Amino acid sequence: MRKFPNIIITGTPGVGKTTTATQLIELAETESASFSEKIPLKHLSINKIAKQHNFYESYDSELQTHVIDEEKLLDHIEDVIADGAGDGGWVIDWHVCDVFPERWVDLVVVLRCEDTQVFYERLTTSKNADGESRGYEGKKLEENVDAEIFGTVAEEAREAWPEQGQVVELKSVQAEDVEENCERIWEWCKQWVKNNAEKQSGEEEGDGGGD
Ligand code: ADP
């Protein structure tokens, strides 16, 4: 059983997943210093892993995107997550969430940018984590804007994690939202660790009190 929660931060490209995951991990590092036990959160950027290991199956020229070999990717992620003691604490950052087995994940955060103008500008002009301009255009731009308007990722998340409270949708329009969201997720992490420790000690006591 893991000691720390695994979290997916998902949402349409450009909603702020990487920004949020990075800030959340920084917050966990700072805040852990004053918390009784460190909660070591670690970033798992699926885009980065796919690129690093070339888990690409093909290239979709119409959508100007690589098609990921999901089987290879999941085999790799499973090894990463189970590595060491399999303690958890992974912050998985990807626009797809419903390929991961339900049991790998404790919380699914779907970021939403409901201001279409802001979102459009992010996709056309902002830079990604590698400092490359996104420059989305044509069908790729249209499909992603539509996906965000219709809440496609949130719907996929709720279908994949139907249990009440496992999926939360958080607004990510302004910089203050990132800060607020990280605080919220961090509070949730601390609570999860506390509940989990209590549950485990309860189980141990239960084991001991046999015949
Ligand atoms: P994703 O990982 O979801 O593709 P990024 O984290 O790379 O998105 O963010 C895309 C761009 O939008 C970046 O330039 C980032 O600074 C900006 N951004 C993301 N979220 C917000 C937000 N809540 N407020 C202001 N800018 C944001």
Side-chain angles (χ1 to χ4, degrees):
M1 200 183 201
R2 43 185 176 264
K3 276 164 70 182
F4 311 110
N6 286 336
I7 303 167
I8 294 187
I9 300 189
T10 190
T12 320
V15 282
K17 299 179 293 294
T18 306
T19 311
T20 306
T22 309
Q23 243 174 266
L24 172 65
I25 286 156
E26 277 171 18
L27 181 70
E29 274 169 19
T30 330
E31 293 282 307
S32 280
S34 59
F35 192 52
S36 57
E37 194 187 1
K38 194 171 157 56
I39 304 181
L41 296 183
K42 299 153 287 190
H43 196 172
L44 203 59
S45 164
I46 304 297
N47 278 344
K48 241 187 210 170
I49 288 173
K51 191 171 171 182
Q52 233 170 31
H53 297 273
N54 197 25
F55 290 144
Y56 297 145
E57 213 170 56
S58 56
Y59 186 76
D60 183 330
S61 51
E62 198 178 19
L63 286 176
Q64 300 154 48
T65 193
H66 291 280
V67 178
I68 306 273
D69 184 329
E70 282 178 9
E71 210 176 306
K72 277 191 194 158
L73 174 78
L74 286 179
D75 280 350
H76 177 82
I77 303 295
E78 187 166 23
D79 289 347
V80 173
I81 286 182
D83 197 28
D87 277 349
W90 291 103
V91 179
I92 303 171
D93 154 11
W94 206 27
H95 63 282
V96 183
C97 62
D98 57 357
V99 293
F100 301 109
E102 201 180 339
R103 66 191 152 77
W104 286 10
V105 179
D106 303 292
L107 179 71
V108 181
V109 176
V110 186
L111 298 177
R112 298 297 308 272
C113 182
E114 65 225 16
D115 185 323
T116 306
Q117 187 59 34
V118 167
F119 188 62
Y120 186 93
E121 274 164 28
R122 276 196 210 153
L123 290 185
T124 48
T125 59
S126 77
K127 293 197 163 50
N128 66 15
D130 296 327
E132 297 156 349
S133 181
R134 266 177 212 258
Y136 280 21
E137 56 183 12
K139 194 163 181 211
K140 186 175 188 176
L141 176 62
E142 201 183 300
E143 289 222 341
N144 282 290
V145 170
D146 280 356
E148 187 50 22
I149 292 172
F150 293 118
T152 309
V153 180
E155 201 178 309
E156 286 165 358
R158 282 193 297 267
E159 264 174 40
W161 283 273
E163 203 180 294
Q164 187 78 15
Q166 265 192 312
V167 176
V168 289
E169 277 183 70
L170 300 177
K171 181 170 86 125
S172 175
V173 180
Q174 300 169 326
E176 299 89 86
D177 297 331
V178 178
E179 219 169 293
E180 214 172 283
N181 293 340
C182 290
E183 291 284 350
R184 245 182 103 168
I185 303 169
W186 173 242
E187 286 306 317
W188 180 91
C189 277
K190 286 196 289 187
Q191 194 58 47
W192 188 95
V193 170
K194 198 168 158 246
N195 293 348
N196 190 55
E198 281 170 8
K199 206 161 106 191
Q200 272 188 331
S201 72
E203 275 167 20
E204 274 161 28
E205 275 170 31
D207 285 348
D211 46 345

